[in-house]
PDB file of all heavy atoms in Angstrom:
ATOM      1  N   GLY A 271      12.009  -3.118   2.024  1.00 91.00           N
ATOM      2  CA  GLY A 271      12.303  -2.730   0.644  1.00 91.00           C
ATOM      3  C   GLY A 271      12.807  -3.850  -0.233  1.00 91.00           C
ATOM      4  O   GLY A 271      12.952  -3.678  -1.443  1.00 91.00           O
ATOM      5  N   HIS A 272      13.095  -5.033   0.381  1.00 92.00           N
ATOM      6  CA  HIS A 272      13.567  -6.151  -0.446  1.00 92.00           C
ATOM      7  C   HIS A 272      12.424  -6.814  -1.190  1.00 92.00           C
ATOM      8  O   HIS A 272      12.645  -7.535  -2.151  1.00 92.00           O
ATOM      9  CB  HIS A 272      14.236  -7.220   0.428  1.00 92.00           C
ATOM     10  CG  HIS A 272      15.457  -6.730   1.156  1.00 92.00           C
ATOM     11  ND1 HIS A 272      16.331  -5.831   0.607  1.00 92.00           N
ATOM     12  CD2 HIS A 272      15.937  -7.017   2.390  1.00 92.00           C
ATOM     13  CE1 HIS A 272      17.300  -5.584   1.475  1.00 92.00           C
ATOM     14  NE2 HIS A 272      17.077  -6.280   2.566  1.00 92.00           N
ATOM     15  N   ASN A 273      11.222  -6.653  -0.684  1.00 92.00           N
ATOM     16  CA  ASN A 273      10.101  -7.391  -1.262  1.00 92.00           C
ATOM     17  C   ASN A 273       9.682  -6.815  -2.608  1.00 92.00           C
ATOM     18  O   ASN A 273       9.790  -5.620  -2.853  1.00 92.00           O
ATOM     19  CB  ASN A 273       8.925  -7.411  -0.289  1.00 92.00           C
ATOM     20  CG  ASN A 273       9.228  -8.301   0.893  1.00 92.00           C
ATOM     21  OD1 ASN A 273       9.707  -9.418   0.717  1.00 92.00           O
ATOM     22  ND2 ASN A 273       9.022  -7.797   2.090  1.00 92.00           N
ATOM     23  N   TYR A 274       9.188  -7.719  -3.409  1.00 94.00           N
ATOM     24  CA  TYR A 274       8.915  -7.414  -4.811  1.00 94.00           C
ATOM     25  C   TYR A 274       8.067  -6.156  -5.004  1.00 94.00           C
ATOM     26  O   TYR A 274       8.361  -5.322  -5.852  1.00 94.00           O
ATOM     27  CB  TYR A 274       8.234  -8.640  -5.406  1.00 94.00           C
ATOM     28  CG  TYR A 274       7.957  -8.562  -6.876  1.00 94.00           C
ATOM     29  CD1 TYR A 274       8.952  -8.187  -7.777  1.00 94.00           C
ATOM     30  CD2 TYR A 274       6.686  -8.876  -7.376  1.00 94.00           C
ATOM     31  CE1 TYR A 274       8.690  -8.131  -9.131  1.00 94.00           C
ATOM     32  CE2 TYR A 274       6.430  -8.826  -8.717  1.00 94.00           C
ATOM     33  CZ  TYR A 274       7.430  -8.446  -9.596  1.00 94.00           C
ATOM     34  OH  TYR A 274       7.161  -8.375 -10.924  1.00 94.00           O
ATOM     35  N   GLU A 275       7.005  -6.036  -4.192  1.00 94.00           N
ATOM     36  CA  GLU A 275       6.108  -4.886  -4.360  1.00 94.00           C
ATOM     37  C   GLU A 275       6.756  -3.578  -3.903  1.00 94.00           C
ATOM     38  O   GLU A 275       6.250  -2.505  -4.194  1.00 94.00           O
ATOM     39  CB  GLU A 275       4.816  -5.080  -3.549  1.00 94.00           C
ATOM     40  CG  GLU A 275       4.030  -6.334  -3.879  1.00 94.00           C
ATOM     41  CD  GLU A 275       3.273  -6.226  -5.186  1.00 94.00           C
ATOM     42  OE1 GLU A 275       3.427  -5.223  -5.909  1.00 94.00           O
ATOM     43  OE2 GLU A 275       2.522  -7.182  -5.495  1.00 94.00           O
ATOM     44  N   MET A 276       7.841  -3.664  -3.134  1.00 95.00           N
ATOM     45  CA  MET A 276       8.444  -2.455  -2.550  1.00 95.00           C
ATOM     46  C   MET A 276       9.805  -2.139  -3.166  1.00 95.00           C
ATOM     47  O   MET A 276      10.510  -1.263  -2.686  1.00 95.00           O
ATOM     48  CB  MET A 276       8.618  -2.632  -1.038  1.00 95.00           C
ATOM     49  CG  MET A 276       7.396  -3.086  -0.304  1.00 95.00           C
ATOM     50  SD  MET A 276       6.048  -1.925  -0.402  1.00 95.00           S
ATOM     51  CE  MET A 276       4.743  -2.898   0.331  1.00 95.00           C
ATOM     52  N   GLN A 277      10.185  -2.901  -4.182  1.00 96.00           N
ATOM     53  CA  GLN A 277      11.522  -2.657  -4.757  1.00 96.00           C
ATOM     54  C   GLN A 277      11.505  -1.414  -5.624  1.00 96.00           C
ATOM     55  O   GLN A 277      10.525  -1.127  -6.306  1.00 96.00           O
ATOM     56  CB  GLN A 277      11.948  -3.873  -5.598  1.00 96.00           C
ATOM     57  CG  GLN A 277      12.274  -5.088  -4.753  1.00 96.00           C
ATOM     58  CD  GLN A 277      12.475  -6.354  -5.571  1.00 96.00           C
ATOM     59  OE1 GLN A 277      12.511  -6.311  -6.798  1.00 96.00           O
ATOM     60  NE2 GLN A 277      12.592  -7.464  -4.887  1.00 96.00           N
ATOM     61  N   THR A 278      12.610  -0.706  -5.612  1.00 95.00           N
ATOM     62  CA  THR A 278      12.708   0.485  -6.452  1.00 95.00           C
ATOM     63  C   THR A 278      12.678   0.067  -7.915  1.00 95.00           C
ATOM     64  O   THR A 278      13.148  -1.014  -8.242  1.00 95.00           O
ATOM     65  CB  THR A 278      14.016   1.248  -6.173  1.00 95.00           C
ATOM     66  OG1 THR A 278      15.099   0.326  -6.289  1.00 95.00           O
ATOM     67  CG2 THR A 278      14.024   1.847  -4.788  1.00 95.00           C
ATOM     68  N   THR A 279      12.126   0.873  -8.797  1.00 97.00           N
ATOM     69  CA  THR A 279      11.594   2.200  -8.569  1.00 97.00           C
ATOM     70  C   THR A 279      10.107   2.151  -8.244  1.00 97.00           C
ATOM     71  O   THR A 279       9.361   1.413  -8.896  1.00 97.00           O
ATOM     72  CB  THR A 279      11.797   3.042  -9.860  1.00 97.00           C
ATOM     73  OG1 THR A 279      13.188   3.034 -10.210  1.00 97.00           O
ATOM     74  CG2 THR A 279      11.292   4.456  -9.704  1.00 97.00           C
ATOM     75  N   LEU A 280       9.692   2.917  -7.232  1.00 98.00           N
ATOM     76  CA  LEU A 280       8.266   3.122  -7.009  1.00 98.00           C
ATOM     77  C   LEU A 280       7.933   4.562  -7.378  1.00 98.00           C
ATOM     78  O   LEU A 280       8.813   5.426  -7.380  1.00 98.00           O
ATOM     79  CB  LEU A 280       7.904   2.864  -5.550  1.00 98.00           C
ATOM     80  CG  LEU A 280       7.976   1.386  -5.121  1.00 98.00           C
ATOM     81  CD1 LEU A 280       9.209   1.154  -4.291  1.00 98.00           C
ATOM     82  CD2 LEU A 280       6.740   0.970  -4.352  1.00 98.00           C
ATOM     83  N   PHE A 281       6.651   4.797  -7.678  1.00 98.00           N
ATOM     84  CA  PHE A 281       6.219   6.125  -8.131  1.00 98.00           C
ATOM     85  C   PHE A 281       5.076   6.652  -7.283  1.00 98.00           C
ATOM     86  O   PHE A 281       4.362   5.897  -6.637  1.00 98.00           O
ATOM     87  CB  PHE A 281       5.720   6.051  -9.579  1.00 98.00           C
ATOM     88  CG  PHE A 281       6.752   5.604 -10.566  1.00 98.00           C
ATOM     89  CD1 PHE A 281       6.803   4.281 -10.968  1.00 98.00           C
ATOM     90  CD2 PHE A 281       7.659   6.505 -11.099  1.00 98.00           C
ATOM     91  CE1 PHE A 281       7.752   3.858 -11.885  1.00 98.00           C
ATOM     92  CE2 PHE A 281       8.615   6.092 -12.018  1.00 98.00           C
ATOM     93  CZ  PHE A 281       8.660   4.765 -12.409  1.00 98.00           C
ATOM     94  N   GLN A 282       4.885   7.972  -7.365  1.00 98.00           N
ATOM     95  CA  GLN A 282       3.664   8.614  -6.858  1.00 98.00           C
ATOM     96  C   GLN A 282       3.299   9.717  -7.849  1.00 98.00           C
ATOM     97  O   GLN A 282       4.187  10.333  -8.453  1.00 98.00           O
ATOM     98  CB  GLN A 282       3.890   9.202  -5.465  1.00 98.00           C
ATOM     99  CG  GLN A 282       4.961  10.284  -5.420  1.00 98.00           C
ATOM    100  CD  GLN A 282       5.159  10.874  -4.026  1.00 98.00           C
ATOM    101  OE1 GLN A 282       4.877  10.230  -3.017  1.00 98.00           O
ATOM    102  NE2 GLN A 282       5.637  12.107  -3.961  1.00 98.00           N
ATOM    103  N   PRO A 283       2.009   9.954  -8.048  1.00 98.00           N
ATOM    104  CA  PRO A 283       1.615  11.067  -8.917  1.00 98.00           C
ATOM    105  C   PRO A 283       1.998  12.402  -8.275  1.00 98.00           C
ATOM    106  O   PRO A 283       1.849  12.579  -7.055  1.00 98.00           O
ATOM    107  CB  PRO A 283       0.097  10.929  -9.013  1.00 98.00           C
ATOM    108  CG  PRO A 283      -0.184   9.504  -8.677  1.00 98.00           C
ATOM    109  CD  PRO A 283       0.854   9.133  -7.657  1.00 98.00           C
ATOM    110  N   VAL A 284       2.475  13.320  -9.077  1.00 98.00           N
ATOM    111  CA  VAL A 284       2.796  14.671  -8.594  1.00 98.00           C
ATOM    112  C   VAL A 284       1.493  15.305  -8.104  1.00 98.00           C
ATOM    113  O   VAL A 284       0.502  15.332  -8.836  1.00 98.00           O
ATOM    114  CB  VAL A 284       3.410  15.519  -9.730  1.00 98.00           C
ATOM    115  CG1 VAL A 284       3.625  16.961  -9.268  1.00 98.00           C
ATOM    116  CG2 VAL A 284       4.713  14.900 -10.219  1.00 98.00           C
ATOM    117  N   GLY A 285       1.493  15.770  -6.847  1.00 98.00           N
ATOM    118  CA  GLY A 285       0.299  16.452  -6.327  1.00 98.00           C
ATOM    119  C   GLY A 285      -0.655  15.544  -5.581  1.00 98.00           C
ATOM    120  O   GLY A 285      -1.681  16.012  -5.085  1.00 98.00           O
ATOM    121  N   GLY A 286      -0.337  14.248  -5.472  1.00 98.00           N
ATOM    122  CA  GLY A 286      -1.206  13.345  -4.716  1.00 98.00           C
ATOM    123  C   GLY A 286      -1.750  12.221  -5.578  1.00 98.00           C
ATOM    124  O   GLY A 286      -2.003  12.404  -6.769  1.00 98.00           O
TER     125      GLY A 286
END
Side-chain angles (χ1 to χ4, degrees):
H272 298 324
N273 289 313
Y274 184 50
E275 303 284 6
M276 309 297 171
Q277 289 171 8
T278 53
T279 304
L280 290 105
F281 299 97
Q282 61 179 25
V284 175

